[in-house]
Amino acid sequence: MTDKTTDADQPVQYIKGVGPKKAERFKKLGVKTVGDLLFHFPMRYEDRSKFKTIAELEVGEVAVIKVTVKSARAMFRGRGRRMFEVAFADSTGILRANWFSFSAKALTARFAVGGEWIVSGKVSFNKYRGSKTITHPDTEAVTPGDQEESLNFGHITPVYPLTEGLSQKSVRNAAHTALKYLEHLDDIVPTALNRRYKLPSLATSVRRTHWPQEGADIQAFAEFKTREQKKLIFNEFFLIQSGLALKRNKAKKTYPGSGMKVDESLISKIKKLLPFTLTNAQERVLKEISADMGADSPMSRLLQGDVGSGKTVIALSAALIAVRNKKQVAIMAPTEILATQHYRSIIGLLQDTGVSVALLTSGSSAKKQAYENIRSGKTHIVVGTHAIIQDAVGFKDLGLAIIDEQHRFGVTQRASLIGKGSRPHTLIMTATPIPRTLAMTLYGDLDVSVIDELPPGRGSIVTRIYQQSNRLSAIRVVRDQISAGRQAFIVYPLVDESDKLQLKAATVMFEQFKNEEFEGLRLGLTHGRMKSAEKEEALGRFTKKEIDILISTTVIEVGIDQPNATVMMIEHADRFGLSQLHQLRGRVGRSAHRSYCLLMAEAGHGNPAWDRLRIMEKSRDGFKIAEADLQLRGSGDFFGVKQSGLPEFKIGNILRDHKILSEARKAAFALIKRDPNLSKPEHAQLRRALTERWREKFELGEIG
Ligand code: ADP
Ligand code: MG
């Protein structure tokens, strides 16, 4: 390690003015080292090169002014609503600032009469008070030292994200001091690439992003459109993509003679077991998978396919290829219901084939025997939940690991399963279509197959939004379907398993439905808190058509396959992500009958939540919906849970910066292809960054 790295890796306390207390607070912002501080970028900028006067302010503009406190007090504003008002003045007039949620004590103390402040926000005109007003402005105290330092005025000034106990000024000061260490930053992007993509130097880019030059276009900075920001974003993506490229290279190592035997006759034998002919998309994907399994390097493939597109039979076909090659197969699913369902459909298809299939969940009995059979190789295919990755489970020879609904598992769980074999083929399946940009980041090391076609004979799904006032019409649709011999789902989506309120809603409504709206019909209830045997029972009765309406929380989101169910009513639909709704909806429309998806909304027309649901009315294409969902909610929330595998970017945004992402990916993969061990001197910085910071993340082990 050179001195160069040491300096930027110093704890942030190394910066003048940052003591242990502040260092603790910086940690909350993700800033631990001087280098982190350099990459803690402003969220916006204010042009403080010249302040306007109050008289010059125009209504509607976003203004920055320097003013003095005349008075500050809490007051009533009719209908019992409290408001805090500060009157600020300069030589030309008065500007009032309002707060509507506040602690009067804190604000009174903050805005002492005579105090000087920089106030910014959108100017409006309050006709009752007869003055220009800013509601909930940003405010920054002017203190005597400020002028000399000249950090806080006289130019375009950065405004940083803060955390409790850190003032704008102390962050600004610290970040400014950190610029001294700029030259200690190593640029991981080789010179040739910087030239090709016309990227400015790293040091200049960091400096300018903190402190734009005089006359810079701060709007462009605010929108992350400057060359300097492009450089920083490129670097961030490039590092990750290089890591993914390395990981992929490593996974794709060839072991001569290790390929499985996959020939036409095996494939056609497998197809004969299936009760239907494969769709074109399934055929294509099966070809891709069998080519992988026949090759001398382990498969690592992501299989994407909308709900109901028929991934299970593809997984099963892959499993049979492995079994016929005398290898074992593990299929891991996130819930007991899903695992059980896979197990059932697999044993159904494999009757009389001599293939031995076992189900392993935490609730399984006779575990010892199951473990023994897996270890001895007597069991060929194990289907299960997390129970499969317990230490006690050892395989004789695991040749294929299949992970269903991968996004529900963490990176380490995926690794543990793969670790149960020696370089097994891996097939990762997801029914949540993943937008391309997200897939590139999350699964950028995998090959991707897509089933983009539904099996034939699927009826249309009519999706309609209902307001509560129109609830009876929705109930009527459900009743009509049941009179026609069909079945229904009523879903209370659960935000998380501990969401008691929703749970209660499902149970309470079950009683009400039974006695009122759906009196005389056969109702069943299932939710996440039920014992799995009870859940199984309810689902079993639904599949056997002993129940007309299944009321449930989102436990049915994945897995249930009952083609006779043609209507799904989703309560509080506007609270949930589009991808999740799409998943739910995929439980109907599985037969030739027309199906209905009724979205019960609390929001009314014109409300953003309502507009969001309109996307569901318009589209049945999972990829389109996923893209819209990602746009609306951002990548962190995309899966509804914090995605454990998604890197946190300091400046890059995969949606906004998708072009840069593609460029960085292309460049990174090409570079790793040319220099797979990063042994060239011009790649030393990249190599160091990857080994020091990213080894674990990318499971890289030793590079080279
Ligand atoms: P998913 O992709 O959601 O896992 P499944 O594998 O559960 O979808 O398949 C959904 C339904 O479609 C199942 O009932 C399955 O038997 C059926 N299916 C799958 N492939 C075909 C096909 N090629 N032709 C007809 N039905 C199919
Ligand atoms: Mg499935």
Side-chain angles (χ1 to χ4, degrees), residues 276-279 282 305-313 455-456 458 561 587 590:
F276 38 67
T277 41
L278 295 181
T279 62
Q282 284 172 319
D306 224 335
V307 247
S309 62
K311 292 182 295 296
T312 314
V313 290
R458 300 289 170 89
D561 189 20
R587 299 300 123 199
R590 293 187 159 225

Side-chain angles (χ1 to χ4, degrees), residues 114-366:
E116 248 195 306
W117 291 83
I118 294 175
V119 174
S120 62
K122 191 166 177 186
V123 181
S124 59
F125 190 79
N126 182 331
K127 50 183 196 268
Y128 301 106
R129 307 291 288 158
S131 75
K132 290 173 187 166
T133 303
I134 299 181
T135 300
H136 290 167
D138 281 312
T139 55
E140 191 179 311
V142 179
T143 47
D146 287 352
Q147 296 287 15
E148 299 98 77
E149 273 176 48
S150 81
L151 257 196
N152 305 306
F153 310 101
H155 32 65
I156 293 172
T157 307
V159 181
Y160 291 91
L162 300 177
T163 186
E164 179 130 8
L166 274 182
S167 71
Q168 190 55 249
K169 257 192 267 186
S170 55
V171 175
R172 191 179 293 140
N173 261 320
H176 189 262
T177 313
L179 294 178
K180 275 206 291 234
Y181 299 93
L182 262 188
E183 68 219 60
H184 298 294
L185 290 179
D186 286 328
D187 191 352
I188 53 156
V189 175
T191 321
L193 277 180
N194 279 322
R195 216 173 295 133
R196 167 146 9 119
Y197 290 99
K198 299 195 173 59
L199 302 170
S201 84
L202 181 64
T204 308
S205 301
V206 174
R207 180 187 302 282
R208 291 283 169 248
T209 302
H210 284 281
W211 292 94
Q213 261 171 309
E214 196 81 27
D217 181 352
I218 59 175
Q219 192 58 30
F221 267 103
E223 288 167 10
F224 295 85
K225 282 188 185 149
T226 65
R227 288 166 64 232
E228 290 83 358
Q229 287 161 312
K230 175 175 177 182
K231 164 68 184 163
L232 301 172
I233 295 164
F234 187 93
N235 273 35
E236 216 170 23
F237 290 157
F238 182 76
L239 180 65
I240 295 217
Q241 292 298 330
S242 304
L244 289 167
L246 274 176
K247 186 173 171 190
R248 185 190 150 88
N249 251 12
K250 202 179 142 222
K252 285 265 143 189
K253 244 170 137 167
T254 52
Y255 303 90
S258 67
M260 292 184 178
K261 194 164 165 279
V262 193
D263 53 24
E264 274 307 314
S265 85
L266 173 57
I267 298 293
S268 65
K269 263 188 218 148
I270 290 172
K271 285 187 197 160
K272 280 203 194 100
L273 291 174
L274 307 177
F276 38 67
T277 41
L278 295 181
T279 62
N280 291 330
Q282 284 172 319
E283 284 280 358
R284 188 189 63 234
V285 168
L286 182 55
K287 275 212 184 81
E288 290 165 350
I289 290 173
S290 40
D292 279 3
M293 294 179 74
D296 282 346
S297 65
M299 165 169 76
S300 32
R301 187 169 283 278
L302 174 71
L303 172 54
Q304 292 205 58
D306 224 335
V307 247
S309 62
K311 292 182 295 296
T312 314
V313 290
I314 297 301
L316 175 66
S317 307
L320 287 173
I321 293 175
V323 172
R324 291 302 175 221
N325 279 273
K326 305 211 161 18
K327 300 277 184 181
Q328 288 171 293
V329 178
I331 303 178
M332 183 163 76
T335 65
E336 212 162 319
I337 292 185
L338 192 51
T340 311
Q341 183 141 335
H342 279 324
Y343 172 73
R344 292 234 176 88
S345 39
I346 290 173
I347 51 173
L349 291 165
L350 294 186
Q351 269 167 12
D352 314 320
T353 57
V355 178
S356 147
V357 188
L359 176 67
L360 188 63
T361 68
S362 50
S364 301
S365 51

Side-chain angles (χ1 to χ4, degrees), residues 364-389:
S364 301
S365 51
K367 281 219 184 70
K368 269 221 177 97
Q369 187 58 51
Y371 293 161
E372 181 44 41
N373 292 343
I374 296 170
R375 193 165 299 122
S376 70
K378 200 170 155 220
T379 296
H380 303 119
I381 301 177
V382 188
V383 186
T385 56
H386 302 85
I388 299 187
I389 51 175

Side-chain angles (χ1 to χ4, degrees), residues 286-498:
L286 182 55
K287 275 212 184 81
E288 290 165 350
I289 290 173
S290 40
D292 279 3
M293 294 179 74
D296 282 346
S297 65
M299 165 169 76
S300 32
R301 187 169 283 278
L302 174 71
L303 172 54
Q304 292 205 58
D306 224 335
V307 247
S309 62
K311 292 182 295 296
T312 314
V313 290
I314 297 301
L316 175 66
S317 307
L320 287 173
I321 293 175
V323 172
R324 291 302 175 221
N325 279 273
K326 305 211 161 18
K327 300 277 184 181
Q328 288 171 293
V329 178
I331 303 178
M332 183 163 76
T335 65
E336 212 162 319
I337 292 185
L338 192 51
T340 311
Q341 183 141 335
H342 279 324
Y343 172 73
R344 292 234 176 88
S345 39
I346 290 173
I347 51 173
L349 291 165
L350 294 186
Q351 269 167 12
D352 314 320
T353 57
V355 178
S356 147
V357 188
L359 176 67
L360 188 63
T361 68
S362 50
S364 301
S365 51
K367 281 219 184 70
K368 269 221 177 97
Q369 187 58 51
Y371 293 161
E372 181 44 41
N373 292 343
I374 296 170
R375 193 165 299 122
S376 70
K378 200 170 155 220
T379 296
H380 303 119
I381 301 177
V382 188
V383 186
T385 56
H386 302 85
I388 299 187
I389 51 175
Q390 301 310 310
D391 285 341
V393 181
F395 287 80
K396 178 159 181 258
D397 191 1
L398 178 65
L400 171 65
I402 299 176
I403 301 169
D404 197 11
E405 299 294 333
Q406 144 76 14
H407 68 274
R408 304 241 176 152
F409 293 106
V411 178
T412 44
Q413 289 170 317
R414 168 171 142 193
S416 324
L417 183 62
I418 295 168
K420 299 263 176 204
S422 122
R423 305 184 302 266
H425 292 299
T426 46
L427 181 65
I428 283 163
M429 303 202 291
T430 169
T432 307
I434 306 169
R436 220 174 65 85
T437 49
L438 193 55
M440 261 197 261
T441 331
L442 271 176
Y443 303 112
D445 57 324
L446 306 177
D447 294 304
V448 178
S449 291
V450 181
I451 306 184
D452 49 7
E453 179 186 355
L454 292 178
R458 300 289 170 89
S460 59
I461 305 181
V462 178
T463 300
R464 254 186 240 138
I465 313 172
Y466 290 84
Q467 253 178 305
Q468 285 305 331
S469 55
N470 210 6
R471 198 173 164 80
L472 279 182
S473 324
I475 300 281
R476 205 171 306 128
V477 176
V478 176
R479 291 203 74 111
D480 286 350
Q481 286 300 301
I482 291 166
S483 308
R486 310 276 92 78
Q487 289 163 282
F489 294 108
I490 297 181
V491 186
Y492 287 81
L494 210 59
V495 180
D496 64 70
E497 292 291 334
S498 63

